[in-house]
Amino acid sequence: NGNTATTFNPEGTVTRQQLWMILARLSGYQPADFAEAKVWAVDNGISDGTIPGNAVSRQQLVTILYRYAARMGYKTTGAADLTVFPDHASVAAYATDAMAWSVANNIVGGTTQGTLNPTGTATRAQFAVILYRFCENIVK
């Protein structure tokens, strides 16, 4: 759905709680609200449940997807060489495996500038593409 009945807001950000809600629904669970989605995410080891209203960064997004894939029994193999990206050193230690997995499995690629932009916020448009690729390449 869009942000309103008349706007989609593709350049808007995605919050952690929105991500939890989407993944909970994707798993077949139907949380009644964001608080219930948070409990689901924490109980399933997908997120620590902190800062729910904050925009999710690209590295947080792929890390949460990686944890979700592991929890659901999906493919978590493959690791790309991140050193080909000029900003590879900006990837946080907690996100390195997930980012390498996401690049190797064609979930995330470089930006138009050829960078990973791990600390940049994921826009709604980027999230839609990342989630589509995740479903196509991992969930199948």
Side-chain angles (χ1 to χ4, degrees):
N1 291 328
N3 285 85
T4 70
T6 59
T7 61
F8 185 69
N9 193 17
E11 294 306 311
T13 58
V14 176
T15 66
R16 292 168 60 93
Q17 63 191 4
Q18 290 170 328
L19 180 56
W20 302 331
M21 180 68 81
I22 290 165
L23 293 179
R25 289 178 176 164
L26 187 62
S27 76
Y29 180 64
Q30 297 298 318
D33 54 27
F34 285 131
E36 203 172 299
K38 175 183 173 178
V39 169
W40 173 87
V42 171
D43 287 351
N44 284 284
I46 294 165
S47 178
D48 63 5
T50 59
I51 53 174
N54 282 20
V56 67
S57 71
R58 290 168 54 90
Q59 66 187 353
Q60 290 169 338
L61 173 58
V62 298
T63 299
I64 289 171
L65 283 176
Y66 182 73
R67 291 174 185 160
Y68 175 79
R71 175 69 174 103
M72 299 303 293
Y74 299 141
K75 176 183 174 184
T76 56
T77 58
D81 177 9
L82 299 182
T83 63
V84 300
F85 296 95
D87 61 343
H88 68 91
S90 299
V91 177
Y94 77 85
T96 302
D97 290 344
M99 189 65 79
W101 164 82
S102 70
V103 172
N105 287 285
N106 299 311
I107 298 166
V108 170
T111 64
T112 55
Q113 295 79 27
T115 62
L116 288 170
N117 191 19
T119 60
T121 55
T123 66
R124 289 170 52 91
Q126 290 169 341
F127 174 66
V129 170
I130 290 168
L131 187 60
Y132 173 80
R133 291 177 181 164
F134 174 79
C135 290
E136 286 293 304
N137 300 328
I138 302 299
V139 176
K140 298 181 186 182

